[in-house]
């Protein structure tokens, strides 16, 4: 026992070892393996061999560049939508929530205790051509009979934005909640009007929340394929749909792995550029 | 608590029309907006619950027909559904237990010990949460595929894919979330209580079980709840690591191509109600145990 007191970091390493080993074996190594598999050649029938076929990268990029740019566009659009929807929501809860704060936060999170798939399928019911949303509008003659939301990019982006809204709202709330009231009072005493207080005090202090929220939304949004599959059509397929089909339908592992690697690399580069742009160091949350 | 930042500032008398306009935004538009946003968030869930009472009689559950309790009286009455739900529950329970143990150990080390390599460790914990799920699933699948060529592993360790590979995957993506939850809860942990126990002659083991564990228990439960809900809902990682095994989300996905049976809405509703119930229950218990330190300091400020 006293040995542990003399070697405090030894205890730390013993506590860390099992979990860290697990992540090294089942998270970090598989990422490297994914890269290796992208350099395989062969087929499920003949077996695969590592041939170092780097040519697969330009090939995959050329063939699926459309899906990649579409994913980035849908992900970016959905992130902007979640920000526009989530900011006023977070603002109200943080500054005006009063004693209903926790109730409101709970109401924001509660829908997400329902299966992701079931929520998305519910939107399919709501957006259906003669469903809850469009049916009455068409009956009233406000929309032409041929108008549809399902199987359009709008439905896909809306579905993604809906599914990731809490990821944006909660970090924004945390950042806004932390703003000390006396800073806003000071701004008022220095004759800042409402807009200036918002623009010069609230918004800059909310920036870490904007940063965290947009990353937490954008990253899963770019890789998502459920919304495109359920709410979109073949023309709104994202890179995730291609990867899924490569692996699970046609067993073209090398191309699937190469596309996943490209997706991951693109996201890491994007995040680093964004971090530099926004200039926040809270990326890893490693403030302890 | 009530008079926070902007509200307090806004309460001061001010006259210009612009400021009156701003007050209207604060008083009416923002609350109305919040109400609409919350309703928008809840809408799909309400639809799911409502459609669990739909009488489809063999047709797809996309349009409302008439009220029926049939599906509720026979919630597992679909071939394969009972197995899928059982698999999901088993994966969720096991992955939650294992990931919570691994994650709590890491969390304790992070908050209570000094050691080198902290930056690298934080990165390793952060990365799985920042990786798109599809990449997590694909990379594990490539590991499992490649493992067939490794002679040092007993045949069938990872491939063919099975219940075991789903479990491996779920533990992996849950660890980071457990660590982050625990770390947040342990911030400001009262170390002096442990020191007091040791000064009174308790050894490390007794101190842990009598002092540390009861203090971290609410955080551990919160982390476990999060892990459980992530696991039971996971589709993307599971689809790449499941092979012939089917979980509830995989069952939903398979069924949606043929037309969703009402029973799926019933099970979805049950999971939703159970999760909400658990959260409310744990909040009530946590509040009863001790006042939330954040709330308490908020009161002091106001």
């Amino acid at each position: 026992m006293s040995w542990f007191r003399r070697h405090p970091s030894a205890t730390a390493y013993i506590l860390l070892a099992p979990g860290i080993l697990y992540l090294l074996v089942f998270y970090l190594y598989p990422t490297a393996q994914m890269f290796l598999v992208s350099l395989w050649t062969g087929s499920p029938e003949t077996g695969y061999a590592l041939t170092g076929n780097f040519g697969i990268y330009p090939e995959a990029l050329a063939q699926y560049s459309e899906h990649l740019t579409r994913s980035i566009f849908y992900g970016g659009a959905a992130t902007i939508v979640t920000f526009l929807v989530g900011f006023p929501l977070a603002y109200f809860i943080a500054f005006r929530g009063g004693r209903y704060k926790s109730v409101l936060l709970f109401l924001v999170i509660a829908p997400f205790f329902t299966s992701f798939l079931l929520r998305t399928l519910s939107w399919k019911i709501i957006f259906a051509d003669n469903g809850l949303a469009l049916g009455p509008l068409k009956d009233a003659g406000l929309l032409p009979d041929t108008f549809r939301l399902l199987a359009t990019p709008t439905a896909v982006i809306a579905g993604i934005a809906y599914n990731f809204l809490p990821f944006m709202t909660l970090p924004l709330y945390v950042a806004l909640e932390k703003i000390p009231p006396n800073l806003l009072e000071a701004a008022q005493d220095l004759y800042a009007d409402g807009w200036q207080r918002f623009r010069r005090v609230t918004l800059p202090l909310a920036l870490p929340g904007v940063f965290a929220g947009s990353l937490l939304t954008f990253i899963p949004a770019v890789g998502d394929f459920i919304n495109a599959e359920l709410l979109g059509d073949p023309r709104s397929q994202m890179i995730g749909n291609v990867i899924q089909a490569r692996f699970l339908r046609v067993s073209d592992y090398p191309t699937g792995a190469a596309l996943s690697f490209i997706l991951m690399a693109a996201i890491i580069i994007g995040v680093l550029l964004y971090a530099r742009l926004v200039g926040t160091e809270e990326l890893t949350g490693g403030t302890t | 608590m009530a008079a926070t930042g902007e509200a307090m500032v806004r309460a001061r008398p001010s006259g210009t029309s612009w400021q009156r306009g701003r007050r209207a935004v604060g008083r009416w538009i923002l609350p109305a907006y919040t109400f609409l946003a919350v309703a928008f968030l809840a809408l799909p869930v309400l639809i799911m619950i409502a459609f669990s009472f739909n009488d489809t009689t063999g047709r797809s559950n996309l349009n409302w027909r008439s009220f029926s309790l049939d599906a509720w009286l026979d919630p597992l009455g679909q071939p394969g559904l009972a197995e899928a739900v059982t698999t999901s529950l088993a994966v969720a329970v096991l992955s939650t237990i294992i990931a919570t143990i691994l994650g709590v150990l890491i969390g304790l080390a992070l908050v209570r010990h000094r050691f080198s390599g902290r930056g690298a460790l934080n990165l390793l914990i952060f990365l799985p949460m920042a990786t798109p799920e599809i990449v997590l699933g694909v990379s594990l699948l490539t590991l499992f595929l490649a493992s067939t060529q490794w002679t040092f592993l007993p045949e069938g360790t990872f491939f063919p894919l099975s219940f075991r590979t789903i479990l491996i995957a779920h533990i992996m993506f849950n660890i980071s979330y457990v660590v982050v939850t625990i770390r947040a809860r342990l911030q400001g942990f009262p170390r002096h209580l442990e020191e007091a126990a040791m000064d009174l002659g308790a050894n490390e083991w007794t101190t842990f079980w009598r002092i540390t564990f009861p203090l971290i228990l609410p955080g551990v439960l919160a982390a476990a709840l999060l892990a459980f809900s992530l696991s039971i809902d996971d589709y993307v990682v599971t689809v790449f690591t499941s092979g012939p095994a089917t979980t509830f989300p995989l069952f939903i996905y398979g069924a949606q191509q043929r037309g969703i049976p009402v029973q799926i809405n019933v099970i979805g509703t049950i999971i939703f109600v159970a999760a909400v119930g658990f959260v409310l229950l744990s909040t009530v218990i946590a509040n009863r145990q001790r006042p939330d330190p954040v709330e308490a300091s908020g009161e002091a400020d106001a």
Side-chain angles (χ1 to χ4, degrees):
Chain A
M1 282 297 168
S2 59
W3 185 83
F4 282 109
R5 283 200 194 178
R6 270 184 279 115
H7 301 272
S9 60
T11 322
Y13 291 124
I14 293 169
L15 292 173
L16 291 171
I20 295 310
L21 269 178
Y22 197 96
L23 287 180
L24 289 177
V25 174
F26 293 116
Y27 171 73
L28 206 58
Y29 178 72
T31 324
Q33 185 65 57
M34 184 172 81
F35 181 66
L36 290 177
V37 167
S38 73
L39 305 177
W40 280 3
T41 28
S43 70
E45 293 78 33
T46 58
Y48 290 92
L50 183 63
T51 52
N53 174 25
F54 283 95
I56 189 126
Y57 280 89
E59 247 172 67
L61 270 176
Q63 201 176 347
Y64 298 109
S65 64
E66 194 193 327
H67 297 86
L68 264 173
T69 42
R70 190 181 292 138
S71 297
I72 291 167
F73 172 68
Y74 285 7
T79 307
I80 293 168
V81 172
T82 55
F83 176 74
L84 294 177
V85 175
F87 193 88
L89 190 61
Y91 185 92
F92 180 82
I93 301 175
F95 290 126
R96 305 282 310 283
R99 59 203 191 87
Y100 297 110
K101 235 179 224 183
S102 13
V103 177
L104 285 168
L105 278 178
F106 181 72
L107 286 175
V108 169
I109 303 166
F112 297 84
F113 292 128
T114 312
S115 161
F116 183 83
L117 286 168
L118 284 175
R119 272 181 280 131
T120 312
L121 288 169
S122 285
W123 282 115
K124 208 170 170 172
I125 297 177
I126 298 165
F127 286 156
D129 292 341
N130 287 302
L132 282 170
L134 299 186
L137 288 172
K138 285 181 183 173
D139 291 343
L142 291 171
L143 285 174
D145 264 356
T146 49
F147 181 85
R148 56 187 322 212
L149 270 174
L150 272 189
T152 63
T154 314
V156 178
I157 293 170
I160 297 174
Y162 172 77
N163 275 313
F164 297 117
L165 187 61
F167 293 128
M168 177 66 90
T169 311
L170 294 181
L172 285 176
Y173 165 79
V174 170
L176 289 170
E177 229 272 318
K178 274 195 214 150
I179 297 176
N182 52 15
L183 283 183
L184 293 160
E185 279 174 60
Q188 165 117 358
D189 290 345
L190 294 169
Y191 300 106
D193 64 29
W195 168 247
Q196 284 174 319
R197 282 199 304 271
F198 179 77
R199 167 80 190 71
R200 308 280 294 269
V201 182
T202 311
L203 209 54
L205 288 174
L207 217 53
V210 178
F211 181 71
S214 44
L215 283 184
L216 285 175
T217 310
F218 182 74
I219 293 173
V222 174
D224 181 77
F225 61 92
I226 306 291
N227 287 286
E229 183 84 34
L230 297 181
L231 304 174
D233 71 350
R235 282 164 303 153
S236 51
Q237 297 273 291
M238 296 168 69
I239 194 69
N241 303 87
V242 177
I243 295 173
Q244 193 225 16
R246 289 292 105 191
F247 269 99
L248 303 177
R249 296 215 188 107
V250 292
S251 299
D252 177 7
Y253 305 137
T255 310
L259 288 171
S260 304
F261 198 79
I262 292 169
L263 175 65
M264 195 180 70
I267 284 174
I268 291 174
I269 293 169
V271 168
L272 291 177
L273 286 176
Y274 187 51
R276 176 156 274 200
L277 190 78
V278 182
T280 314
E281 297 283 55
E282 296 192 7
L283 187 62
T284 58
T287 45
T288 44
Chain B
M1 192 83 199
T4 43
E6 302 248 315
M8 208 142 87
V9 174
R10 198 179 296 106
R12 292 183 181 183
S14 51
T16 70
S17 64
W18 196 92
Q19 276 163 325
R20 273 201 300 276
R22 193 178 144 74
R23 274 208 299 278
V25 169
R27 195 164 296 159
W28 299 109
I29 299 176
L30 208 52
Y33 172 83
T34 304
F35 177 79
L36 282 177
V38 168
F40 163 74
L41 283 167
L43 185 63
V45 181
L46 298 178
I47 297 270
M48 173 192 77
I49 297 173
F51 276 66
S52 75
F53 297 103
N54 195 7
D55 181 9
T56 59
T57 51
R59 292 205 259 174
S60 77
N61 195 9
L62 282 174
N63 293 302
W64 181 258
R65 289 177 220 284
S66 65
F67 183 85
S68 150
L69 277 175
D70 292 354
W72 277 94
L73 295 173
D74 187 17
L76 294 172
Q78 284 289 326
L81 181 56
E83 283 163 46
V85 172
T86 316
T87 310
S88 267
L89 286 174
V91 170
V93 169
L94 289 173
S95 71
T96 299
I97 293 172
I98 299 170
T100 305
I101 293 172
L102 297 177
V104 167
L105 294 179
I106 297 178
L108 281 171
L110 271 173
V111 179
R112 313 184 26 186
H113 293 277
R114 285 158 194 271
F115 54 90
S116 49
R118 191 175 276 271
L121 179 68
N122 274 323
L123 193 65
L124 181 65
I125 288 157
F126 169 75
L127 277 176
M129 295 187 292
T131 309
E133 273 197 282
I134 190 166
V135 176
L136 295 179
V138 163
S139 58
L140 268 175
L141 176 55
T142 60
L143 171 79
F144 298 151
L145 286 170
S147 73
T148 53
Q149 301 173 354
W150 298 341
T151 46
F152 61 85
L153 283 177
E155 214 176 300
T157 310
F158 297 136
F159 204 88
L161 304 173
S162 63
F163 178 85
R164 192 189 315 168
T165 47
I166 304 179
L167 185 59
I168 288 173
H170 283 219
I171 295 169
M172 185 271 291
F173 69 65
N174 269 336
I175 290 179
S176 299
Y177 287 97
V178 172
V179 174
V180 171
T181 313
I182 288 287
R183 187 171 60 186
R185 292 289 187 114
L186 287 186
Q187 241 54 200
F189 181 83
R191 289 301 297 271
H192 58 271
L193 291 183
E194 292 178 335
E195 283 156 21
M198 306 270 250
D199 288 344
L200 293 170
N203 63 24
E204 273 89 350
W205 196 244
T206 317
T207 309
F208 180 81
W209 286 112
R210 300 289 295 272
I211 305 293
T212 317
F213 188 71
L215 281 171
I216 65 170
L217 189 60
V220 174
L221 289 179
L225 190 69
L226 179 63
F228 188 88
S229 57
L230 287 172
S231 168
I232 203 150
D233 186 28
D234 184 77
Y235 173 77
V236 176
V237 175
T238 313
V239 79
F240 286 100
T241 52
S242 61
T246 298
T247 61
F248 181 56
L250 293 186
F251 185 89
I252 300 175
Y253 196 85
Q256 75 85 24
Q257 287 157 336
R258 306 187 296 271
I260 317 138
V262 192
Q263 276 84 357
I264 282 182
N265 293 50
V266 175
I267 310 268
T269 307
I270 293 173
I271 293 176
F272 173 72
V273 172
V276 169
F278 263 119
V279 171
L280 291 180
L281 196 70
S282 65
T283 317
V284 169
I285 292 171
N287 283 346
R288 192 168 293 169
Q289 269 182 350
R290 56 178 180 151
D292 193 327
V294 181
E295 300 271 14
S297 68
E299 299 283 353
D301 286 346

